[in-house]
Amino acid sequence: MKALLHPTACCESNKKTPSPSLGSSLSPLPQISASEVSQHNSAESLYVIYKNVVYDATEFCSAHPGGSGKLLLAGGKHLEPFWAVFKQHEGQEYVVRDVLASLPVVGELQDSDKVFVHKVDNPYIHEPVRTGSLKYHSVTPCNAECMEEGLRTFITDSDDYYIRHHGPVPIVEDKNGYEIDVGGMVLNLNKIETMIKERKIVTSTMQCGGNRRGTFKSHQKTSGTQWGVGAISTAKWEGVELRSVLRMCYTDAEISRFSHVHVEGMDGTLISIPKDRAMDPTKDVLLATRMNDEDITPDHGFPARLIVPGVVGVRNIKWVKKIALASEEADSMWQTGHAYKVLPTWVKKVEEVDVAEFDGMMEMQPQSATTMAKATKGGDTLVKGFAYSGGGRKIVKVEVSFDGGKSWKDAELDEGTEQGSGKSWAWTMWSYKGEGRGKVLCRATDEDGRGQPKGVEKIWNLRGLGCNAWHEREVDEEEVEEE
Ligand SMILES: Nc1nc2c(c(=O)[nH]1)N[C@H]1C(S)=C(S)[C@@H](COP(=O)(O)O)O[C@H]1N2
Ligand SMILES: [Mo]
């Protein structure tokens, strides 16, 4: 950035600073990834990046002239965009540079994460501060998955809920003044909520279409975020039914004439769902404003989000700003385009097929994973996990195997089994206690008899979508207390 001058300028005018030029190093520094740096964003451990060099500002934080709170905003991030906004750094170049030069250097960003931030209008400067425990795959845009601990609870903490953004998080300051365009009628969120008295609460598991994409690697690479098993989470959503919103803004004749509902977020993400699903009271499609009994967090769609229970993550549009009935599906990369299409295994290049001929993902196949496997004092093994199926299909069976799938044992189904047939929007937790060591495999079956395939060979697809092969995890051998 302009105000922070060429490295040599500092050394000429301020002889007492013999430290290596800021942002460039003479001897190679340890390489560190941007996602690792992003996790050091608190007063306990605070890293900042300047010219791709990573500094440890933990000690300095309380001495920051602008207050520790302001410096924490830049925790785990590049300093340049912040200095562009907080102009007091300008004209103070030498002071600022000296301070920076006095901080311990952690390393430098690995080459693939290096950016050349000039005088910036960085669209990511206002990203929410993230305090949950998540595994980051990228930071700008944020793609982070839920950790094993988070996957063990029936309801995921909002802070630990997986994040999958296509761009920066849109800023909405006042939810009361927030407006949504429904079929050309611009409605204040407050108004929608006063006119539609009936509110609905739905506990729904959301899964990204790319969950477990990383598993395909063993067979053949796919492009996109290499998710582990954590691009899935569950929350209690509350809001008004989408069908009530549509009824408020469209006549019965219009509603029956059209066949799709287009929904667009403030960030331009556009999808559609079939009108029949939106209008079916048993499908529980919501325009939600509450997540786990609080306002939805900015990362998860504040102030209003579409919730389509039982349907792939991408249809659950965040920061909803526009809703409209239409005759055709939405024409966007996420709907008619290739982004969420499971192409046949033989397709090795998108150009080989006409993607328009394939349907976009909607309800996903059964999924399950082990989130804990421990030897117990008594010599048994305790295994726990989750199982989920798309379209509200109830999980009726979960099995585990310790011999590579030759023999299977039934797991016990726990929380989630109380959900009804066709209405099991959330996952089912399961557990197994008994003999078994080494590698544990798991697989689930839903009420329609749909199961999971052994490996990825037959389900591999170019975009790396819908991976639901038997899940494998090592049993931890250290002892735990018998329950
Ligand atoms: N407006 C908007 N909605 C969105 C997205 C987005 O980038 N923008 N990502 C979609 C995708 S691909 C998924 S998997 C889910 C992720 O929701 P989460 O970040 O709350 O976990 O939101 C969907 N809705
Ligand atoms: Mo997704």
Side-chain angles (χ1 to χ4, degrees):
M1 66 166 282
K2 187 179 93 239
L4 292 149
L5 302 170
H6 195 263
T8 54
C10 154
C11 302
E12 277 158 22
S13 63
N14 192 339
K15 298 277 190 302
K16 75 174 169 42
T17 315
S19 61
S21 308
L22 283 171
S24 65
S25 56
L26 302 175
S27 54
L29 291 170
Q31 301 264 306
I32 177 165
S33 72
S35 62
E36 160 73 6
V37 176
S38 74
Q39 308 209 18
H40 297 265
N41 59 4
S42 69
E44 279 76 61
S45 178
L46 186 71
Y47 289 179
V48 292
I49 313 165
Y50 179 68
K51 294 201 170 169
N52 297 313
V53 175
V54 183
Y55 298 88
D56 187 339
T58 318
E59 292 285 338
F60 171 67
C61 192
S62 56
H64 182 237
S68 57
K70 280 283 181 308
L71 184 55
L72 280 167
L73 286 177
K77 300 180 182 153
H78 291 271
L79 285 173
E80 288 92 332
F82 290 86
W83 290 352
V85 170
F86 299 108
K87 301 269 185 208
Q88 51 273 57
H89 294 90
E90 276 182 23
Q92 297 282 323
E93 298 87 26
Y94 304 133
V95 180
V96 171
R97 296 175 55 81
D98 270 0
V99 167
L100 209 49
S102 72
L103 303 183
V105 172
V106 182
E108 71 174 342
L109 284 186
Q110 63 190 29
D111 285 346
S112 56
D113 288 344
K114 277 193 175 127
V115 289
F116 292 97
V117 214
H118 303 294
K119 187 154 168 63
V120 213
D121 274 331
N122 184 339
Y124 289 98
I125 186 174
H126 297 291
E127 290 284 284
V129 173
R130 302 183 173 111
T131 54
S133 50
L134 289 161
K135 178 173 181 254
Y136 287 84
H137 290 275
S138 66
V139 186
T140 52
C142 184
N143 283 297
E145 68 180 276
C146 194
M147 315 271 270
E148 271 196 336
E149 295 74 19
L151 297 169
R152 285 178 202 151
T153 55
F154 186 68
I155 302 277
T156 318
D157 265 14
S158 303
D159 286 345
D160 298 339
Y161 196 104
Y162 84 98
I163 300 172
R164 199 279 181 253
H165 296 330
H166 290 94
V169 175
I171 305 158
V172 178
E173 283 177 355
D174 174 20
K175 69 171 168 175
N176 297 317
Y178 188 77
E179 289 174 333
I180 301 179
D181 177 328
V182 187
M185 210 184 266
V186 179
L187 294 171
N188 188 298
L189 199 52
N190 244 350
K191 173 141 189 208
I192 297 180
E193 301 206 331
T194 22
M195 291 193 57
I196 304 170
K197 288 274 174 308
E198 200 182 320
R199 294 178 68 79
K200 208 169 199 179
I201 294 175
V202 177
T203 299
S204 167
T205 293
M206 194 182 294
Q207 177 175 222
C208 180
N211 195 25
R212 297 186 67 195
R213 181 178 285 127
T215 311
F216 283 124
K217 243 188 339 237
S218 61
H219 181 61
Q220 205 175 323
K221 211 181 154 317
T222 57
S223 60
T225 302
Q226 298 296 302
W227 298 107
V229 80
I232 184 167
S233 295
T234 301
K236 190 172 129 189
W237 302 96
E238 184 193 322
V240 296
E241 286 174 278
L242 180 63
R243 66 192 184 107
S244 310
V245 178
L246 292 171
R247 281 245 169 79
M248 206 165 109
C249 304
Y250 285 95
T251 63
D252 287 351
E254 285 169 323
I255 293 176
S256 57
R257 181 151 48 91
F258 291 115
S259 25
H260 300 273
V261 188
H262 291 199
V263 183
E264 190 177 345
M266 286 175 74
D267 61 344
T269 308
L270 168 69
I271 58 89
S272 58
I273 58 168
K275 178 205 68 185
D276 289 346
R277 182 178 279 272
M279 295 309 293
D280 183 344
T282 70
K283 299 292 187 199
D284 298 331
V285 180
L286 301 184
L287 179 64
T289 49
R290 310 270 291 169
M291 173 187 197
N292 296 336
D293 300 315
E294 290 175 339
D295 280 348
I296 298 177
T297 58
D299 269 327
H300 300 295
F302 179 81
R305 169 177 209 166
L306 187 70
I307 291 295
V308 194
V311 168
V312 64
V314 69
R315 313 288 168 231
N316 295 256
I317 286 292
K318 298 182 273 202
W319 318 294
V320 170
K321 74 153 195 220
K322 205 167 170 189
I323 301 172
L325 285 173
S327 319
E328 303 289 334
E329 270 188 281
D331 190 15
S332 73
M333 64 177 276
W334 304 278
Q335 194 67 37
T336 44
H338 63 266
Y340 283 95
K341 292 210 165 149
V342 183
L343 300 172
T345 298
W346 54 263
V347 179
K348 299 290 188 274
K349 279 193 189 129
V350 185
E351 305 80 61
E352 288 171 18
V353 285
D354 179 5
V355 281
E357 289 187 355
F358 297 88
D359 288 336
M361 291 178 94
M362 285 293 282
E363 299 177 351
M364 294 177 78
Q365 293 290 321
Q367 179 71 283
S368 68
T370 295
T371 54
M372 188 193 110
K374 278 185 173 171
T376 67
K377 265 199 176 140
D380 275 343
T381 290
L382 178 64
V383 187
K384 290 188 177 186
F386 67 79
Y388 164 82
S389 184
R393 291 175 182 84
K394 197 174 166 64
I395 294 296
V396 294
K397 196 194 227 340
V398 174
E399 299 156 288
V400 292
S401 170
F402 294 91
D403 56 11
K406 287 197 209 70
S407 67
W408 294 87
K409 294 165 185 170
D410 281 349
E412 211 165 291
L413 303 185
D414 307 323
E415 205 170 359
T417 34
E418 67 287 353
Q419 303 176 100
S421 159
K423 294 276 280 188
S424 295
W425 303 134
W427 53 20
T428 295
M429 306 319 244
W430 55 265
S431 60
Y432 163 86
K433 204 171 123 203
E435 281 175 14
R437 281 293 192 273
K439 282 194 174 87
V440 54
L441 294 174
C442 69
R443 66 179 186 192
T445 310
D446 72 19
E447 60 179 315
D448 286 354
R450 309 188 313 167
Q452 300 182 234
K454 179 176 183 191
V456 295
E457 295 77 12
K458 297 206 172 85
I459 53 168
W460 184 93
N461 60 94
L462 194 61
R463 300 288 312 170
L465 298 166
C467 178
N468 72 331
W470 299 348
H471 180 258
E472 183 182 298
R473 190 193 187 283
E474 210 66 52
V475 175
D476 299 331
E477 297 276 342
E478 89 264 21
E479 292 197 344
V480 293
E481 290 297 316
E482 198 88 46
E483 280 148 287

